Structures are given as structure tokens and as C-alpha cells.
Amino acid sequence: LTTMLVFFIKPTNGSRFGLGVGGFFGGVANILLTGSLVPASGILTLMDMVNAVGMTTIFLTLVQSTISLYLYDHRGEVVLSRLFDRVSAVIFGVGFLVINILIPLAGMVRR
């Protein structure tokens, strides 16, 4: 969720990408830490799925930031860039919440 704060930072501000890259390294550290606390099982666990969703979200925020910077800086579409950031914030926020609610619910389904 911290990485999603990039949607509220001006695209030309260098801290926008720094926050995303920092979030990516934090996600890697989280994967290493949680992986060391749980014994190897050879199957995809809930922890693995949640970590994958987090890393994918962080990567997609970096892609979104790159597109927003392109729109803002290279094409001069300041209004479109800000609109893209706002729409992305809603889509990413809702999507992240929904996926993280559905993953445990899917695990509760008995076969």
C-alpha cells in the first residue's frame, strides 16, 4: 500500500520512482523473511500468493509511473497525466483490496 502513494506525487519528482524501488526492495525483504519462518512445503502457500500480489502491484505501479512521466514530461499532457494517476490510484487500491480478500476466501473452499 505504501508504494501506491506514488499516484499522489508529481511524475517529475524523483522520489516517485525512489518510493517504488524502495517498496520493491521491501517486498523482496518480506519474501525472504517470511520464507525463512515457514518450512518448505513444495506447494504454493497463502503467503506466497499474497507476496506475489504485492510484488506484482509494486511492479505495476512502477510501470504506471513511467507512463505517467511520459505523458507529463514528453508529451506535455499534464491534465491527462494527473487523471491517469487518479484513475490508477482507485483501480490499484480497489484491485489490491479485492484480491487480498479473495485469496484467503478461495483457500477456505473445501474440495
Side-chain angles (χ1 to χ4, degrees):
L1 290 173
T2 303
T3 305
M4 289 187 214
L5 293 175
V6 300
F7 302 130
F8 306 103
I9 300 174
K10 189 176 178 180
T12 56
N13 190 331
S15 63
R16 181 170 176 150
F17 286 96
L19 184 60
V21 171
F24 193 79
F25 281 108
V28 170
N30 184 55
I31 290 170
L32 293 174
L33 176 67
T34 55
S36 69
L37 297 174
V38 178
S41 63
I43 60 171
L44 188 64
T45 64
L46 174 64
M47 176 187 65
D48 296 327
M49 288 186 252
V50 171
N51 283 332
V53 168
M55 293 300 286
T56 302
T57 303
I58 293 168
F59 174 73
L60 291 175
T61 60
L62 287 169
V63 171
Q64 189 279 345
S65 292
T66 304
I67 295 168
S68 183
L69 176 63
Y70 174 76
L71 291 172
Y72 188 94
D73 200 33
H74 295 287
R75 300 225 13 223
E77 300 281 351
V78 176
V79 175
L80 181 60
S81 172
R82 296 308 300 155
L83 178 65
F84 183 51
D85 288 343
R86 289 187 188 111
V87 169
S88 296
V90 171
I91 291 171
F92 277 67
V94 170
F96 187 77
L97 263 165
V98 167
I99 289 172
N100 277 296
I101 289 170
L102 290 178
I103 289 174
L105 293 176
M108 293 172 52
V109 175
R110 299 206 183 246
R111 294 178 185 208

